Amino acid sequence: MKVTAPPLGFNTWNTFGEDISDELIRSTADRIIELGLLDAGYNYIVIDDCWSEKQRDQNGRLVPNREKFPNGIKAVADYVHSKGLKFGIYSCVGNRTCADYPGSFEHEFIDAETFAEWGVDYLKYDYCFKPMTEKGDLLYKRMALALANCGRDILFSACNWGAENSKEWIKETGAHMWRSGNDIRDNWKSISDIFALQTEMIPYCSPACYNDMDMLVIGMNGEGFCALGGCSEIEYQTHFAMWCMFASPLMIGCDIRKIDDSALRILKNRGLIDICCDPLGCQPYMIDGVGCSDSHAQVWVRNLENGDIAIAMFNLGDGPSKGFLPLVSVGLNASTERTLELHDLYTGEVISGIRGEYLSEPIPAHGCKVFRAKVKKI
């Protein structure tokens, strides 16, 4: 299976944890369509941990929980597919999953065949209860091989949280995306801590094996399984811009059935989604503090397929700051006789051309400024 852009969709874990059901998945699928999220690119619905019975059947196969999914998983997948969406499920490299349900260790091929029979399009593969005698890279390679031979295209999402220095070997396993850090929580500290890890991850990010910064907490507003304080609208905007700038998969984690208008506007921001999924697949680079007013302001740049430039200024501090971008830092020396026309991706404002040698923008605490810039003749 070839994956040409970071996947977008919804995952049950952040809000619901083990409280999942047939009805939840069906009503979420309905709501994704009603809100236009499929049109924005969110086409996966993924059931996380806790969907199965506690034991396999007499043939060694996984069994859907009879109370949560009385009609089985295939019926749920069929309903999701009927809406034009794709369906995902969860398993684990170990004997048990993180929530103590059956894992796929030494059942990789039978599980892959089962998932294919059910109509699964996406597998999130966790890292709990891994036998100490087994190498993590081999376990991911084994499941990747099983999926590649199951008779169905299934996107393979490796979730080992960066353990065992996985950034150096994950791309060779056949995974299409990989988790680079710990689980996210719905607060600014968790978001900024995950973002702080990304600089060392940049050399290991590439198209077809995307660095998964974890699921989105936008719209949780302090409610749900992984809620821990909540965030402001400004912080959610910055969260989304960070994930898009680094081409992370975008998996919604709030309860879509009762999402507020503010969160929906952020998640449907077409300009940022286009940057996230830009087909050129360039890695972002940071402007190394040149001209920054303090250490809390970071400026990141990413070259895009049509010759445009994405510019993101992030204020990680607790007070207002400024972001500076010298034009020479993106290759526009005075000798080029070129400048940048800026389109603010949150306000819609257009700055027709930078006058002078640098861009300077005020940024509120925990806030951001994000532009798509076109190169123009002076």
Side-chain angles (χ1 to χ4, degrees), residues 103 109 155 196 218 282 305 339 367:
F109 278 81
L155 188 149
I218 297 156
C282 273
E305 185 184 45
T339 188

Side-chain angles (χ1 to χ4, degrees), residues 130-199:
K130 180 185 78 70
M132 296 298 292
T133 57
E134 299 288 336
K135 294 181 64 177
D137 64 321
L138 293 179
L139 294 180
Y140 279 106
K141 288 172 182 173
R142 189 186 301 168
M143 179 53 86
L145 192 62
L147 294 174
N149 287 276
C150 72
R152 184 178 179 84
D153 283 343
I154 299 179
L155 188 149
F156 189 25
S157 172
C159 181
N160 86 326
W161 340 300
E164 297 187 23
N165 209 25
S166 60
K167 63 181 182 290
E168 295 191 354
W169 50 257
I170 195 66
K171 286 190 287 187
E172 69 189 38
T173 66
H176 300 111
M177 54 187 276
W178 59 284
R179 267 279 299 284
S180 57
N182 292 327
D183 289 0
I184 197 169
R185 295 290 183 266
D186 182 21
N187 60 54
W188 172 250
K189 184 179 186 305
S190 178
I191 292 167
S192 57
D193 284 350
I194 290 171
F195 180 69
L197 292 174
Q198 300 316 307
T199 300

Side-chain angles (χ1 to χ4, degrees), residues 21-83:
S21 66
D22 181 297
E23 190 280 329
L24 170 65
I25 303 306
R26 292 173 187 260
S27 59
T28 298
D30 294 343
R31 197 71 175 132
I32 286 174
I33 304 303
E34 292 167 5
L35 294 172
L37 285 165
L38 175 58
D39 294 334
Y42 296 91
N43 61 345
Y44 285 96
I45 294 184
V46 181
I47 299 175
D48 212 287
D49 204 350
C50 310
W51 59 266
S52 74
E53 293 288 345
K54 287 285 189 173
Q55 302 297 330
R56 293 174 177 269
D57 68 14
Q58 65 273 20
N59 298 313
R61 289 184 175 267
L62 293 166
V63 180
N65 184 282
R66 293 175 179 84
E67 292 185 6
K68 297 174 182 178
F69 301 100
N71 300 307
I73 294 296
K74 188 178 187 307
V76 180
D78 287 347
Y79 187 82
V80 170
H81 291 150
S82 76
K83 296 292 181 177

Side-chain angles (χ1 to χ4, degrees), residues 147-365:
L147 294 174
N149 287 276
C150 72
R152 184 178 179 84
D153 283 343
I154 299 179
L155 188 149
F156 189 25
S157 172
C159 181
N160 86 326
W161 340 300
E164 297 187 23
N165 209 25
S166 60
K167 63 181 182 290
E168 295 191 354
W169 50 257
I170 195 66
K171 286 190 287 187
E172 69 189 38
T173 66
H176 300 111
M177 54 187 276
W178 59 284
R179 267 279 299 284
S180 57
N182 292 327
D183 289 0
I184 197 169
R185 295 290 183 266
D186 182 21
N187 60 54
W188 172 250
K189 184 179 186 305
S190 178
I191 292 167
S192 57
D193 284 350
I194 290 171
F195 180 69
L197 292 174
Q198 300 316 307
T199 300
E200 67 181 81
M201 301 298 171
I202 287 173
Y204 305 99
C205 302
S206 69
C209 191
Y210 295 95
N211 173 12
D212 178 12
M213 295 164 66
D214 205 5
M215 296 165 285
L216 300 167
V217 295
I218 297 156
M220 290 188 64
N221 299 320
E223 298 181 0
F225 184 71
C226 82
L228 197 62
C231 295
S232 67
E233 181 177 7
I234 286 175
E235 290 166 343
Y236 283 144
Q237 288 178 340
T238 303
H239 170 28
F240 193 65
M242 288 171 168
W243 267 234
C244 289
M245 197 67 179
F246 281 80
S248 174
L250 305 176
M251 305 302 290
I252 299 170
C254 70
D255 187 347
I256 292 176
R257 302 170 304 173
K258 59 180 185 180
I259 191 171
D260 60 47
D261 291 341
S262 170
L264 193 60
R265 281 194 301 272
I266 294 170
L267 292 168
K268 292 175 68 175
N269 188 306
R270 186 73 255 174
L272 280 168
I273 293 171
D274 285 347
I275 288 172
C276 182
C277 299
D278 185 76
L280 187 61
C282 273
Q283 297 163 331
Y285 61 93
M286 187 168 68
I287 307 305
D288 293 326
V290 178
C292 288
S293 61
D294 59 56
S295 61
H296 300 306
Q298 292 187 13
V299 180
W300 289 84
V301 175
R302 185 174 162 196
N303 291 332
L304 305 175
E305 185 184 45
N306 68 340
D308 288 356
I309 301 171
I311 301 168
M313 299 176 170
F314 301 121
N315 180 6
L316 305 181
D318 296 329
S321 184
K322 276 191 175 182
F324 288 87
L325 177 72
L327 292 186
V328 296
S329 66
V330 297
L332 297 181
N333 297 50
S335 62
T336 66
E337 298 184 347
R338 300 292 190 276
T339 188
L340 294 175
E341 178 183 270
L342 304 172
H343 296 248
D344 189 309
L345 297 182
Y346 274 126
T347 69
E349 178 187 5
V350 177
I351 302 174
S352 59
I354 299 174
R355 301 305 176 197
E357 298 179 349
Y358 61 86
L359 170 67
S360 174
E361 287 289 321
I363 315 170

Side-chain angles (χ1 to χ4, degrees), residues 51 62-64 73-74 77-78 89 113-120:
W51 59 266
L62 293 166
V63 180
I73 294 296
K74 188 178 187 307
D78 287 347
I89 207 164
E113 291 170 2
T114 300
F115 298 150
E117 290 169 6
W118 289 345
V120 169

